[in-house]
Amino acid sequence: QKEVEQNSGPLSVPEGAIASLNCTYSDRGSQSFFWYRQYSGKSPELIMSIYSNGDKEDGRFTAQLNKASQYVSLLIRDSQPSDSATYLCAVNSNYQLIWGAGTKLIIKP
Amino acid sequence: DVKVTQSSRYLVKRTGEKVFLECVQDMDHENMFWYRQDPGLGLRLIYFSYDVKMKEKGDIPEGYSVSREKKERFSLILESASTNQTSMYLCASSLQRAGTEAFFGQGTRLTVV
């Protein structure tokens, strides 16, 4: 059974600080990795994708991938109250996406 | 912009009713998916389809069926709704090539009473 693991949280971070979200996966053959944000009662929306080892930055968001350790992370700099949401990690495996259960992030003003 | 549209945002049905949830995408995606999402359980795949008239069972297909007669439309059917099928249902679509992300509809909150 291919798995994606995330800490369910909640992760509480002060406004303006860096939020760090982590994800591990079991399928060594996975090549594509995604972070989605989901607000309460809404559907998930893609915020970052990463395909190769290292860091990928987009505005306040940085995705980090380490295939050797089977580890993906998402850093959110200068956290804002609007970043409060559940963050889902998804890993591509055999043309399907395998989903983590999500980490609830709370940004405290 | 990719658009995935689900037919209803909220739905209330009675136990034993046959329920149809419709999903339409406008980006010519080959793959379409139906998930349900419950608190603490994350996204669970019910069925997916990679082509017209093709369907594959996901992790929790029991009590559900699907139909894909046209490429842009994927329907989820609850043959006889039960209270344990009360949930948020999410439709998604993606291109077939590896490495592409999924795009979601707005979700249908189904309550079975």
Side-chain angles (χ1 to χ4, degrees), chain A residues 1 31-34 36 38 40-46 48-49 51 86 88 92 94-102, chain B residues 9-10 31 33 35 37 40-43 45 48 59 88 90 94 96-107 109:
Chain A
Q1 181 81 354
Q31 298 293 324
S32 308
F33 308 85
F34 306 94
Y36 284 74
Q38 187 176 24
S40 181
K42 304 292 186 183
S43 57
E45 57 177 334
L46 180 72
M48 290 287 287
S49 58
Y51 305 100
T86 296
L88 303 173
N92 192 283
N94 287 339
Y95 300 94
Q96 291 186 49
L97 286 178
I98 310 299
W99 295 87
Chain B
R9 186 74 180 91
Y10 299 95
N31 295 340
F33 307 86
Y35 296 93
Q37 188 175 36
L41 296 179
L43 283 169
L45 182 64
F48 69 97
D59 301 318
M88 169 71 94
L90 290 160
S94 72
Q96 196 152 80
R97 66 174 188 268
T100 59
E101 67 268 30
F103 295 87
F104 284 85
Q106 76 274 31
R109 172 75 64 185

Side-chain angles (χ1 to χ4, degrees), chain B residues 24-43:
Chain B
V24 177
Q25 50 94 5
D26 66 358
M27 283 302 291
D28 205 34
H29 284 173
E30 297 91 354
N31 295 340
M32 295 189 76
F33 307 86
W34 275 107
Y35 296 93
R36 65 177 281 177
Q37 188 175 36
D38 301 288
L41 296 179
L43 283 169

Side-chain angles (χ1 to χ4, degrees), chain A residues 27-99:
Chain A
D27 183 6
R28 285 198 168 274
S30 295
Q31 298 293 324
S32 308
F33 308 85
F34 306 94
W35 283 101
Y36 284 74
R37 178 177 61 202
Q38 187 176 24
Y39 292 116
S40 181
K42 304 292 186 183
S43 57
E45 57 177 334
L46 180 72
I47 52 171
M48 290 287 287
S49 58
I50 187 165
Y51 305 100
S52 52
N53 278 330
D55 294 0
K56 179 182 176 183
E57 189 174 317
D58 183 2
R60 296 187 296 112
F61 298 95
T62 299
Q64 299 175 317
L65 173 61
N66 184 325
K67 289 185 181 179
S69 300
Q70 296 174 247
Y71 178 91
V72 192
S73 64
L74 178 72
L75 301 178
I76 306 174
R77 288 182 300 282
D78 189 24
S79 297
Q80 303 296 310
S82 60
D83 294 325
S84 296
T86 296
Y87 289 80
L88 303 173
C89 174
V91 175
N92 192 283
S93 178
N94 287 339
Y95 300 94
Q96 291 186 49
L97 286 178
I98 310 299
W99 295 87

